[in-house]
Amino acid sequence: MTTWAGSPSFMLSKDLEYVNSEYGKNAVRLLYVRREGKIHCIKELEVSLHIRLNNVNEYVNSDNSCVIPTDTIKNTIQAFAKCRGIRTIEEFGLDLCEHFLTHYCHVIYCNVFIQEVPWQRLEKDGVPHAHAFLYSSEGVRFCEVERNLNCPPNVFSGIKDLKIMKTTQSGFADFFKDKYTTLPDRRERVLSVESLIKWCYGDCKGCLDYDCLWRTAHEAALDAFAGPPETGHYSPSYQRTVNRIQTYILERIPQAEEVEVIMSNIHYCVADLDKLGLSNDMEVFTPQDTPFGACATTLRRKKGSEGEYLQSMECKPRHSVSWKSDHMMK
């Protein structure tokens, strides 16, 4: 029903219901500098924060009285950086969720997604610089914190834009073949991947050392991909490499319940030098940006069965970048 005297109103049909109505502010960027005498520490973040209200009046009744402006959300993020500081992105996300669910009686859900720019302290001759930093290529750290009113939070940590390569100890053979198959078996190839790795912490009581756990997961991913420094280990497919990454993280981080990996396989083709009268014993390659192979999988611990894993059909994290587009990471 619509009334034209004053504000329009709309009665939602009895056959319809809202299943989600969250909103928020995306890509709030900030640089936080903590000064400890002459020593400076930095965190450069991009924060996206969404909330859900206990009503949808702004949609069906044109009533904005309960709507918290997204500009207020942006200001709150900046104010919390100033007033509380940022020790880890996970703790910052937990603080923001706590605020929106306790400060506003009509907010029933909060989701915070944070990416951290990979700055590392500059060193010279092993001596750390007091206030200079270098952009690192070890991958981008991120987290997602979500919480419903009167429920404990769910905390996810992760690494994205992780690019790693090995020039041997990889192949792909004995796969299914039909009349459209032209790819030959390869027992030796370059394996180059770009990955997003995300893990979920369980119902952990007390505080976690998120920095230590992230470094452990990062090291586990590199070990799973490369193997021992002197010998490496063989990968019969990049799917097997994905499985190794997931199991290494679950073995080394008992607090992790599940690990999601989204991986693209960037192909390097042996360059044809025959026309130049030159042999090419896998020394010169041509990178092939597109098309590229991609896979997405989640591995989690079986409920009530320690040490065993079960593939989940749910990929919970909504803020993971689509694994079907532009190497999945952009």
Side-chain angles (χ1 to χ4, degrees):
M1 179 175 66
T2 303
T3 59
W4 298 103
S7 300
S9 63
F10 173 71
M11 297 297 292
L12 193 65
S13 168
K14 293 180 180 179
D15 298 329
L16 303 175
E17 65 176 351
Y18 275 99
V19 294
N20 187 30
S21 60
E22 67 184 64
Y23 73 98
K25 200 73 160 181
N26 287 351
V28 179
R29 297 183 61 190
L30 64 90
L31 172 65
Y32 171 71
V33 181
R34 186 176 80 250
R35 295 175 174 85
E36 300 173 350
K38 293 183 178 181
I39 305 298
H40 294 184
C41 301
I42 66 170
K43 294 279 187 184
E44 183 177 351
L45 310 181
E46 182 177 292
V47 183
S48 296
L49 191 153
H50 286 197
I51 58 176
R52 186 182 305 138
L53 308 182
N54 63 1
N55 64 74
V56 290
N57 288 337
E58 70 274 28
Y59 291 92
V60 298
N61 295 322
S62 301
D63 179 358
N64 295 333
S65 60
C66 290
V67 177
I68 302 164
T70 62
D71 189 65
T72 302
I73 293 174
K74 177 205 71 178
N75 293 342
T76 303
I77 293 169
Q78 294 173 339
F80 265 57
K82 163 62 180 175
C83 297
R84 299 203 180 186
I86 303 172
R87 200 177 81 83
T88 69
I89 57 176
E90 290 86 356
E91 289 166 299
F92 190 55
L94 286 164
D95 285 345
L96 289 168
C97 279
E98 174 75 14
H99 169 76
F100 279 94
L101 288 169
T102 58
H103 185 72
Y104 302 100
C105 61
H106 60 298
V107 174
I108 60 172
Y109 171 82
C110 184
N111 179 287
V112 185
F113 180 75
I114 305 175
Q115 297 184 92
E116 180 176 349
V117 178
W119 293 111
Q120 288 188 345
R121 190 174 299 279
L122 196 63
E123 292 188 2
K124 184 173 183 180
D125 300 327
V127 179
H129 199 283
H131 56 259
F133 302 86
L134 178 69
Y135 188 90
S136 167
S137 58
E138 68 174 7
V140 174
R141 178 175 175 176
F142 70 93
C143 78
E144 183 173 2
V145 181
E146 64 174 3
R147 184 177 173 185
N148 286 292
L149 186 64
N150 300 323
C151 294
N154 293 317
V155 180
F156 301 83
S157 296
I159 313 160
K160 65 188 286 285
D161 299 344
L162 180 63
K163 301 178 182 181
I164 41 184
M165 173 193 289
K166 61 181 182 180
T167 53
T168 188
Q169 294 275 44
S170 174
F172 184 55
D174 303 324
F175 44 83
F176 183 85
K177 300 178 179 69
D178 65 14
K179 65 180 181 179
Y180 298 115
T181 304
T182 59
L183 184 72
D185 285 352
R186 290 191 176 97
R187 309 286 177 180
E188 180 70 14
R189 65 171 180 173
V190 169
L191 180 61
S192 176
V193 301
E194 186 173 345
S195 303
L196 181 149
I197 305 166
K198 187 170 187 175
W199 57 96
C200 174
Y201 297 106
D203 185 15
C204 302
K205 307 298 182 184
C207 297
L208 296 177
D209 187 341
Y210 291 106
D211 283 341
C212 179
L213 292 169
W214 189 89
R215 288 192 296 268
T216 298
H218 188 272
E219 182 179 327
L222 298 185
D223 289 348
F225 179 83
E230 300 82 9
T231 60
H233 55 209
Y234 189 75
S235 171
S237 67
Y238 75 104
Q239 290 90 340
R240 181 69 181 97
T241 297
V242 166
N243 175 262
R244 279 199 179 113
I245 290 172
Q246 292 169 316
T247 53
Y248 275 37
I249 291 175
L250 288 168
E251 287 169 358
R252 298 184 189 185
I253 303 180
Q255 300 92 336
E257 279 195 345
E258 67 179 41
V259 181
E260 176 192 10
V261 176
I262 304 172
M263 181 176 286
S264 61
N265 181 16
I266 312 304
H267 303 296
Y268 282 76
C269 302
V270 178
D272 182 6
L273 302 182
D274 290 345
K275 56 188 176 183
L276 304 178
L278 298 172
S279 62
N280 188 1
D281 188 19
M282 297 188 68
E283 299 162 296
V284 181
F285 296 83
T286 302
Q288 182 179 312
D289 285 337
T290 57
F292 59 90
C295 72
T297 178
T298 302
L299 189 71
R300 71 180 179 192
R301 303 183 194 277
K302 285 184 177 179
K303 300 296 182 183
S305 182
E306 201 170 275
E308 296 182 17
Y309 308 109
L310 172 69
Q311 180 175 331
S312 170
M313 297 308 293
E314 302 174 1
C315 290
K316 291 182 185 176
R318 292 190 313 282
H319 288 286
S320 293
V321 181
S322 170
W323 66 280
K324 297 179 180 177
S325 62
D326 196 15
H327 293 223
M328 310 169 299
M329 306 297 153
K330 306 301 186 231

